[in-house]
Amino acid sequence: MTEFRMPALGADMDEGTLNEWLVKPGDTVTRGQIVAVVETTKAAVEIECWQEGVVGELLVPVGQTVSVGTPLATLLTPGERPAEPAPVPAQAVETPTVDAAHRRWVSPAARRLATSLGVDVDVVSGTGPQGAVVISDVEHAAAHSHAVVPAAHVPGTEMRKSIAAAMSRSKREIPHYYLAHEVQLDPALDWLAERNAARSITERVLPAVLQLKAVALAAQRFGEFNGFWRDTGFEAGSAVHVGVAISLRGGGLVAPAIHDVPDKKLDELMADLTDLVARARAGSLRSSEMSDPTITVTNLGDQGVDTVFGVIYPPQVALVGFGTPAQRVCAVDGGIRIATTLQASLAADHRASDGHRGALFLAAVNDLLGEPDLLEK
């Protein structure tokens, strides 16, 4: 018999509230199966089980808040029987196993806003992915019901506290160093414009996807920027899972991962990015997306920021930032001309790498964006 425990869902999560069980005692579970939904300060997260077995006992009832690492359920090997029958939590008995495609989601931020506005979230129509109720739905319902926000209500307060705690830990524990490199973007933008010309708007690839792929390939080449700093030292990532910093409409941000980025074609990455942003803003993410990014990318270019000096998400050891593309006077091939450039920055952990290697890493990102054909492979 083994125990299935509450996973860590990012550096800014110490606990979560069990919203829903999707299995019951006696059910067989397989690796990667979604077995529960947990609400954090940022999202309702689908919890995946990475062990195989038969559900023995549900140890935590729906509605209970527990810390990371708390046993949620027991798993039996096929044919194994529990030592003695154990009662199932009452709430779990009332929660049927529901097909994921037919569940109705309510994002945590939307639920909190609905409570503060006095809106019954059960009667609000959802417009998010899979019919999820998101912040805009609650705001729309509140406007039509003439509800008033209490003066003391500040949306996202708990999320801000969680983010502040994680970033304070990062700056306290991680010896950051910062580097920046001006990237020539014209080759990538020209190549992308030609590639997108014959495609419909929904099929086009954004420049941000090229940046993600370039960072992932560079991280694959310079492994000391792709992994985690544990108590025992640096632990290299077994693959490159790029965390994407996504701002939430209700305030705050999340940085879930797109998995195995170096192995994916640009079209697939574009689809993954679009889906991830939509689900993040609807408050519907998966535990593996929150727990295993090996390096994070933040792009504030659309906010008019020239250079981003980010804070590393522990236990990761690096974060790459991209600023706003702009036309600047540059020396190119021995001459002076106007070129489109952007500032790529690196925040890295000095315990895992040094500035020399960091400079080579950023140079690799620049080189890859200069040869976009390499990103399509």
Side-chain angles (χ1 to χ4, degrees), residues 15-27:
E15 62 183 19
T17 301
L18 183 67
N19 268 4
E20 185 178 4
W21 276 114
L22 304 179
V23 293
K24 61 183 183 299
D27 285 353

Side-chain angles (χ1 to χ4, degrees), residues 148-220:
V148 178
V149 181
H153 175 67
V154 181
T157 299
E158 292 304 315
M159 184 184 297
R160 298 300 335 163
K161 289 180 180 178
S162 296
I163 293 172
M167 296 301 96
S168 295
R169 173 193 166 196
S170 175
K171 296 298 285 187
R172 183 174 62 249
E173 297 179 0
I174 299 176
H176 286 64
Y177 71 89
Y178 295 95
L179 300 173
H181 188 99
E182 188 171 36
V183 175
Q184 296 281 344
L185 266 191
D186 285 327
L189 294 179
D190 292 345
W191 180 88
L192 196 58
E194 182 178 350
R195 184 183 187 277
N196 285 337
R199 294 167 175 250
S200 67
I201 292 178
T202 58
E203 295 176 322
R204 292 174 185 172
V205 170
L206 297 177
V209 172
L210 300 185
Q211 296 166 10
L212 290 175
K213 185 70 176 285
V215 168
L217 291 174
Q220 194 176 52

Side-chain angles (χ1 to χ4, degrees), residues 33-311:
Q33 180 177 338
I34 298 169
V35 297
V37 180
V38 168
E39 182 172 320
T40 72
T41 57
K42 293 185 175 182
V45 181
E46 296 177 325
I47 303 299
E48 298 148 296
C49 180
W50 298 103
Q51 303 159 282
E52 295 187 349
V54 176
V55 178
E57 180 183 4
L58 303 180
L59 303 175
V60 175
V62 169
Q64 184 170 325
T65 300
V66 295
S67 301
V68 169
T70 300
L72 299 178
T74 59
L75 291 177
L76 310 174
T77 59
E80 182 183 5
R81 294 180 177 275
E84 57 183 41
V88 179
Q91 295 93 326
V93 173
E94 298 168 0
T95 305
T97 300
V98 185
D99 181 76
H102 296 90
R103 275 185 273 129
R104 185 170 182 273
W105 297 100
V106 180
S107 78
R111 190 182 298 279
R112 287 191 292 272
L113 182 59
T115 299
S116 69
L117 295 176
V119 172
D120 183 357
V121 75
D122 291 332
V123 300
V124 175
S125 298
T127 61
Q130 300 179 358
V133 176
V134 295
I135 286 177
S136 59
D137 300 323
V138 175
E139 292 173 339
H140 179 78
H144 283 76
S145 65
H146 306 291
V148 178
V149 181
H153 175 67
V154 181
T157 299
E158 292 304 315
M159 184 184 297
R160 298 300 335 163
K161 289 180 180 178
S162 296
I163 293 172
M167 296 301 96
S168 295
R169 173 193 166 196
S170 175
K171 296 298 285 187
R172 183 174 62 249
E173 297 179 0
I174 299 176
H176 286 64
Y177 71 89
Y178 295 95
L179 300 173
H181 188 99
E182 188 171 36
V183 175
Q184 296 281 344
L185 266 191
D186 285 327
L189 294 179
D190 292 345
W191 180 88
L192 196 58
E194 182 178 350
R195 184 183 187 277
N196 285 337
R199 294 167 175 250
S200 67
I201 292 178
T202 58
E203 295 176 322
R204 292 174 185 172
V205 170
L206 297 177
V209 172
L210 300 185
Q211 296 166 10
L212 290 175
K213 185 70 176 285
V215 168
L217 291 174
Q220 194 176 52
R221 189 181 307 171
F222 297 90
E224 62 265 52
F225 300 99
N226 185 67
F228 314 96
W229 189 267
R230 310 289 193 190
D231 292 337
T232 56
F234 178 68
E235 176 185 313
S238 58
V240 182
H241 305 320
V242 180
V244 182
I246 301 170
S247 62
L248 303 178
R249 294 191 180 95
L253 58 82
V254 291
I258 297 177
H259 292 130
D260 302 308
V261 175
D263 303 328
K264 293 183 175 179
K265 299 289 188 180
L266 295 179
D267 287 336
E268 186 178 2
L269 281 179
M270 185 69 226
D272 286 352
L273 179 61
T274 301
D275 172 66
L276 192 67
V277 171
R279 288 191 293 106
R281 290 177 174 165
S284 175
L285 293 167
R286 302 186 186 103
S287 56
S288 58
E289 294 167 338
M290 296 295 288
S291 63
D292 62 4
T294 56
I295 186 172
T296 292
V297 170
T298 181
N299 189 330
L300 293 178
D302 59 351
Q303 302 300 316
V305 173
D306 287 332
T307 309
V308 182
F309 295 106
V311 181

